[in-house]
Amino acid sequence: MVLKTDGHPGRQPEEGTMAVAVKNDGTSDDRAESTQVKGERLDLRIASDVKGMIEKAATISGLPVSAFVLSVVVPHARQVIHESQQLTLSSRDRDRFLAALDDENAKPNAALLRAAERFNAATR
């Protein structure tokens, strides 16, 4: 991860601009990210006071700005993705769901059949 506060190489920075290079391969090991070549960038336009606050927090933390930003953003991104892939049911709903799965007379409705077709097409 490389974060440059100058926007783009060879150009003068715009006030409140940060360019962030972000690895985009789903690597879950943060240590591996520091040893791999990074080719992706993430450009953010932020207010100058926010930029100053981030830089101050990074300095207080003893981290480069890029490491500080990644230390906050990457874990949060993983948490958001993880939470979006889970479904939490109440005990009542869990019991109803399991009963529906166990029902030998159950037949899929049209919406379920369409959803299965979309899934199969997307995963081929």
Side-chain angles (χ1 to χ4, degrees), residues 35-90:
T35 62
Q36 296 180 0
V37 176
K38 287 104 180 155
E40 298 295 323
R41 297 182 64 82
L42 177 64
D43 294 320
L44 306 170
R45 290 200 179 274
I46 59 175
S48 60
D49 62 323
V50 172
K51 179 181 173 188
M53 180 176 53
I54 292 169
E55 291 171 336
K56 183 176 183 177
T59 300
I60 291 169
S61 299
L63 296 170
V65 174
S66 59
F68 176 77
V69 170
L70 276 181
S71 73
V72 175
V73 172
V74 171
H76 184 68
R78 286 190 183 121
Q79 179 182 355
V80 168
I81 292 167
H82 176 76
E83 289 174 1
S84 75
Q85 296 172 340
Q86 289 188 347
L87 177 63
T88 304
L89 300 173
S90 67

Side-chain angles (χ1 to χ4, degrees), residues 4-19 41 45 51:
K4 296 184 179 187
T5 57
D6 65 349
H8 300 282
R11 291 200 326 207
Q12 284 297 102
E14 295 179 46
E15 184 173 296
T17 300
M18 296 178 111
R41 297 182 64 82
R45 290 200 179 274
K51 179 181 173 188

